[in-house]
Amino acid sequence: MRLIRNRNFLIMWIGQLATIFGNRFSEIAIPLIVLQFTGSPWQAALVVVCSQITPLILALPVGSWVETRSKKNIAMMAEIVSFLTMSLLVVFVWLELLNMWVLAAGLLVMGATGLFYRVSFGAMVPMVVGRKNLVHAHSYFEGADAISTFLGPVMAGVVLSTLGVAAVLSVDAMTYFISFLGIAFLSVKESRKREETKTKTTYLSSFQDISYLFANGYQRFISFNQCILSFCTTAVTLTVIVYTSQTLSLSEWQTGLVLSSAGAGNMIGVFLLHRVKDFSWKNLYAVLMLVSGVGLFLILLTGYLPLIMLGMFIFDGALSMAFVVNGSARQSITPDHFLARIGGGAILISGIVAISGNLFSGGVSEVLMPQAILAFCGFLLLVASLVSLLFKQGNKRIQELVPMELEDSLTK
């Protein structure tokens, strides 16, 4: 509990809780809104993808740009713009002018501001907590994700079905404002090491930074698992929304209840992580991916709501633990002066994979059936489990990892 008593970390945690809660709120609400308007899973996927396009285009140059600037100021600006954009969407709802084009445009802006926030926030974490506390810090952040995933979806379903679209978007807008206030009160001493050797960064030259994500065996292993985690998370989330609302004809609050089960598994996962964090890296990954895949196959075997909830509980509980391990490992082996660049590159990879996951989910759901996506993602997780077991450098614990100079790795 020592870390949560750190004033700066507590402020960061509350801000992260607010942001993630808003994301979980809109994560279910926006696809359901589009499905209400069009009845098309493919169009729902296209609208959701709009929030991922700008991170895909800007991730690398933003990482380089943020690296030598005030992370706190950038994060604050990003959250206030997100608040204003979401508030404007609420106004469009009140004026009865909200349509697919307006919603897509708003998500494009939100994708850009979310990118600036994630890169700057991620770079501040080691400065606030120190490298030795990264696993604990990411566990607390995953706990915030767990609380948000547990409460957000079912609340979004209830609010959407009872109060309407404007109320859902208003809640999301307020979470960004709360996050802005939290960052404003944050005290962090920022490192400007790279300012001394700062060179002009162009859009094309920034793509060279993606090579750092594959500079050594550890970075390659982390990048591979990040792709699996991001694809399965986005594809399964949209697929479950389509599967429960259209195939099983469940109500909005029942769909929210299924996704909230993922949050319950997330909370249990955070609790269990403290008990298994001393396991070897590859064995921990292998078990987590295997268990997560079992959860998906359980969903496939039944149309019974409690069992679907149990499957989501198992799937997301194990996957959330894997996300913590992945994020902690990435920051543990990355030098301070590369954190923003690595963060930008990681977001680029996640963006590509997330867009692929959403489009795959929407397309296959419309042409075939959502169950096919769940089976495919379950197979991917089993493959990832096998790859983890074969990772020769994975015998260390996360706490034993140290920064590795990326430039040296690339020249070897």
Side-chain angles (χ1 to χ4, degrees):
M1 294 294 292
R2 184 172 64 243
L3 188 59
I4 203 67
R5 293 173 184 170
N6 181 318
R7 174 186 174 275
N8 283 326
F9 179 75
L10 180 59
I11 290 173
M12 292 186 79
W13 186 85
I14 293 174
Q16 190 76 337
L17 175 64
T19 298
I20 298 175
F21 181 83
N23 291 341
R24 294 295 174 268
F25 217 77
S26 58
E27 192 175 70
I28 178 176
I30 289 176
L32 286 175
I33 291 170
V34 179
L35 288 173
Q36 287 180 358
F37 285 168
T38 67
S40 169
W42 175 245
Q43 292 187 43
L46 290 176
V47 172
V48 171
V49 161
C50 288
S51 66
Q52 300 160 343
I53 292 176
T54 40
L56 183 65
I57 297 173
L58 300 176
L60 288 179
V62 165
S64 300
W65 187 81
V66 168
E67 193 169 274
T68 55
R69 290 168 174 81
S70 171
K71 284 76 175 175
K72 175 181 175 179
N73 291 341
I74 294 171
M76 288 174 58
M77 183 62 66
E79 292 298 79
I80 199 65
V81 173
S82 295
F83 165 72
L84 293 174
T85 302
M86 190 60 70
S87 298
L88 186 60
L89 290 179
V90 174
V91 173
F92 273 92
V93 173
W94 288 340
L95 297 176
E96 298 184 353
L97 296 175
L98 184 69
N99 54 45
M100 295 302 97
W101 294 105
V102 172
L103 191 57
L107 291 180
L108 282 171
V109 175
M110 300 285 289
T113 56
L115 169 66
F116 279 94
Y117 173 78
R118 292 197 303 274
V119 172
S120 55
F121 185 91
M124 285 191 292
V125 173
M127 302 174 191
V128 172
V129 306
R131 291 187 173 275
K132 292 184 179 180
N133 292 316
L134 282 174
V135 173
H136 293 294
H138 281 280
S139 294
Y140 279 118
F141 289 140
E142 195 65 26
D145 189 295
I147 295 171
S148 302
T149 306
F150 178 64
L151 297 176
V154 67
M155 290 180 63
V158 171
V159 172
L160 180 61
S161 61
T162 58
L163 301 178
V165 175
V168 172
L169 299 182
S170 296
V171 172
D172 198 0
M174 289 307 302
T175 61
Y176 287 111
F177 188 70
I178 293 171
S179 178
F180 164 78
L181 291 178
I183 298 170
F185 286 102
L186 183 66
S187 299
V188 56
K189 185 177 181 181
E190 300 192 37
S191 172
R192 304 293 181 86
K193 179 178 179 180
R194 292 190 64 92
E195 284 190 345
E196 300 172 0
T197 59
K198 183 171 66 174
T199 57
K200 184 178 180 180
T201 301
T202 65
Y203 182 83
L204 292 178
S205 67
S206 65
F207 275 83
Q208 298 174 1
D209 296 336
I210 200 170
S211 60
Y212 294 129
L213 297 173
F214 307 93
N216 52 56
Y218 288 106
Q219 293 284 0
R220 288 190 289 273
F221 179 74
I222 293 170
S223 297
F224 169 78
N225 280 286
Q226 180 183 349
C227 290
I228 298 296
L229 293 171
S230 298
F231 182 88
C232 290
T233 299
T234 54
V236 169
T237 299
L238 182 57
T239 300
V240 167
I241 292 173
V242 174
Y243 178 57
T244 54
S245 63
Q246 290 198 330
T247 304
L248 301 180
S249 299
L250 300 182
S251 64
E252 288 92 346
W253 74 267
Q254 288 175 315
T255 297
L257 196 61
V258 171
L259 294 182
S260 290
S261 301
N266 202 330
M267 287 190 286
I268 298 299
V270 171
F271 172 76
L272 291 177
L273 187 61
H274 291 287
R275 298 179 178 272
V276 300
K277 61 184 177 65
D278 291 330
F279 284 30
S280 69
W281 196 12
K282 69 174 185 180
N283 291 337
L284 182 57
Y285 259 130
V287 172
L288 293 176
M289 295 298 191
L290 177 62
V291 172
S292 187
V294 169
L296 290 184
F297 288 118
L298 179 59
I299 296 174
L300 278 172
L301 294 176
T302 180
Y304 186 47
L305 180 59
L307 290 181
I308 294 175
M309 293 171 59
L310 177 60
M312 281 299 292
F313 175 89
I314 296 172
F315 163 75
D316 202 67
L319 214 65
S320 66
M321 296 172 69
F323 266 112
V324 172
V325 174
N326 191 273
S328 300
R330 178 80 83 185
Q331 290 191 329
S332 294
I333 65 173
T334 303
D336 286 337
H337 48 285
F338 280 99
L339 283 170
R341 292 191 179 206
I342 288 291
I347 290 174
L348 173 64
I349 289 182
S350 293
I352 295 173
V353 174
I355 287 175
S356 301
N358 279 317
L359 293 179
F360 178 77
S361 173
V364 174
S365 294
E366 186 148 324
V367 175
L368 296 176
M369 61 181 70
Q371 294 94 317
I373 302 158
L374 298 177
F376 179 76
C377 289
F379 174 75
L380 279 182
L381 291 171
L382 295 181
V383 171
S385 177
L386 179 61
V387 170
S388 297
L389 288 175
L390 298 176
F391 182 51
K392 295 181 180 179
Q393 297 171 291
N395 292 321
K396 290 184 177 181
R397 299 179 303 166
I398 296 295
Q399 296 91 324
E400 296 173 346
L401 297 176
V402 295
M404 304 174 63
E405 286 298 333
L406 299 172
E407 289 170 332
D408 294 340
S409 298
L410 289 173
T411 57
K412 289 182 180 179

